[in-house]
Amino acid sequence: MSAADRPSPRGAWSPSALLRVSIAVALVTIALKGWAGYVTNSMGLISDAMESFVNLASATFGLAMVTIAARPPDTDHPYGHHKAEYFSSGFEGILIIAAAIAILGAAVVRLLSPQPLEQLGWGLALSIVSSGFNAALAVVLFRAARSHRSIALEADARHLVTDVWTSAAVVVGIVAVALTGWLWLDPVLAIGIALNIVREGAKLVWRSSQGLMDAALDPQTLALLQATLDRFLARVPEGPQLRFDDIVTRRAGQRRFADLHMHVPGDWSLQRAAGLRDAVEQALMDAVPGLRVTIQLLPLGMEARATQREDAP
């Protein structure tokens, strides 16, 4: 059994299991929304159904990337495969934008040639039921994304929330069309949905790019690391003789990394210094789950050679 398939110690579902559920829910919502669009002839509902195909594709790709990310380190990837999840969120963002472009094209055609809506009661009921499935799954995925620190689950959850709001706007728009008789409201609503989808897709692509560029950990985690180091210095008898500096962090999928320097008196034995370093690493990993720490030992009064930056020509 791979790491992606193992449940957490508290029995929570694994990311891969949740993404399989997401695939199943996407298939159900495609059927429900597609049926709703067919019986009503509403461009808004048809656009909503088209977005559900993006849910299906992104959940499928996300499952593949989460499975890859769970692979253990190997010779070619000594730091693991955690960044595979960023490809999932980036791919989902691109799919969302592509779906929005398709919706825009279809909506413009319908705007130029409005058509009457039919069987609105059935269509609205089907849309509301499918939105209920998406909303419930989004809540579960958000909670799991926090516990697993999974950007793939978070991306899927955010897209589902967008889908729920899209469906709500469609329902409101269809009711408005029924009350006013203004058929142009339906394609205009679809255009608004498409623009909102573009915004959400662009946000996902941006977050994915930041992960691939080794962005630093969030300010809250950085503050927690510093507080842990301060508590360690205050707790151990050797604290006044130690100094930490040059803390550098990054995130790769579910894994978080921190590199720093630990300065000790030059006359200490290597065994004594290494023992304290091991205690510091353990304290930091206990404070920040999923953290991998690398600490370079240096004697007090000596700094590590600075890495020279190459100026672009």
Side-chain angles (χ1 to χ4, degrees):
M1 182 181 292
S2 69
D5 293 319
R6 286 196 297 266
S8 70
R10 290 177 294 178
W13 284 23
S14 67
S16 60
L18 287 168
L19 286 170
R20 290 189 184 99
V21 173
S22 185
I23 291 172
V25 171
L27 290 172
V28 172
T29 55
I30 286 172
L32 292 175
K33 291 183 178 181
W35 187 12
Y38 175 76
V39 300
T40 62
N41 196 33
S42 165
M43 192 62 233
L45 285 174
I46 293 173
S47 300
D48 204 12
M50 290 173 65
E51 189 182 358
S52 293
F53 278 100
V54 179
N55 290 349
L56 175 62
S58 59
T60 303
F61 189 78
L63 176 60
M65 291 300 100
V66 164
T67 302
I68 293 174
R71 292 176 181 172
D74 54 35
T75 303
D76 294 328
H77 306 89
Y79 290 96
H81 303 77
H82 308 287
K83 284 191 175 182
E85 287 199 29
Y86 291 113
F87 290 102
S88 172
S89 62
F91 177 75
E92 182 164 356
I94 293 172
L95 279 180
I96 290 173
I97 294 173
I101 293 173
I103 292 171
L104 276 172
V108 169
V109 172
R110 181 64 64 87
L111 182 62
L112 297 176
S113 180
Q115 297 181 22
L117 305 183
E118 304 171 359
Q119 302 185 53
L120 296 184
W122 268 108
L124 293 178
L126 291 171
S127 179
I128 292 171
V129 169
S130 63
S131 295
F133 283 124
N134 282 338
L137 180 58
V139 171
V140 174
L141 288 177
F142 269 126
R143 292 175 179 172
R146 286 192 294 269
S147 62
H148 291 287
R149 303 182 302 281
S150 172
I151 191 174
L153 293 181
E154 181 182 347
D156 204 27
R158 289 188 180 279
H159 186 205
L160 287 172
V161 170
T162 300
D163 202 355
V164 170
W165 284 112
T166 297
S167 299
V170 168
V171 169
V172 172
I174 290 177
V175 171
V177 171
L179 293 176
T180 63
W182 297 342
L183 298 181
W184 55 266
L185 275 178
D186 183 44
V188 167
L189 175 64
I191 292 174
I193 291 170
L195 294 176
N196 182 59
I197 293 172
V198 168
R199 180 180 65 87
E200 188 67 22
K203 286 168 60 177
L204 284 176
V205 172
W206 171 254
R207 287 202 62 196
S208 177
S209 69
Q210 291 304 294
L212 292 172
M213 292 175 63
D214 284 338
L217 299 181
D218 58 273
Q220 294 80 7
T221 303
L222 291 175
L224 180 57
L225 291 176
Q226 186 60 58
T228 302
L229 292 174
D230 292 340
R231 285 196 300 270
F232 183 86
L233 292 176
R235 178 169 55 86
V236 299
E238 300 90 345
Q241 303 177 72
L242 304 178
R243 180 165 63 87
F244 300 105
D245 59 15
D246 295 330
I247 302 176
V248 180
T249 64
R250 66 183 178 92
R251 177 178 178 179
Q254 299 179 32
R255 178 68 68 181
R256 289 177 277 191
F257 296 86
D259 300 327
L260 63 148
H261 296 161
M262 176 178 171
H263 298 264
V264 302
D267 58 354
W268 278 16
S269 68
L270 179 60
Q271 182 175 3
R272 182 180 183 185
L276 276 175
R277 178 180 62 183
D278 183 69
V280 174
E281 291 176 345
Q282 189 61 54
L284 291 173
M285 290 188 292
D286 289 342
V288 181
L291 182 69
R292 176 171 176 171
V293 186
T294 301
I295 300 178
Q296 180 179 353
L297 286 174
L298 291 170
L300 289 170
M302 178 181 291
E303 300 296 333
R305 186 181 299 275
T307 301
Q308 300 297 321
R309 293 184 178 180
E310 295 182 359
D311 295 330

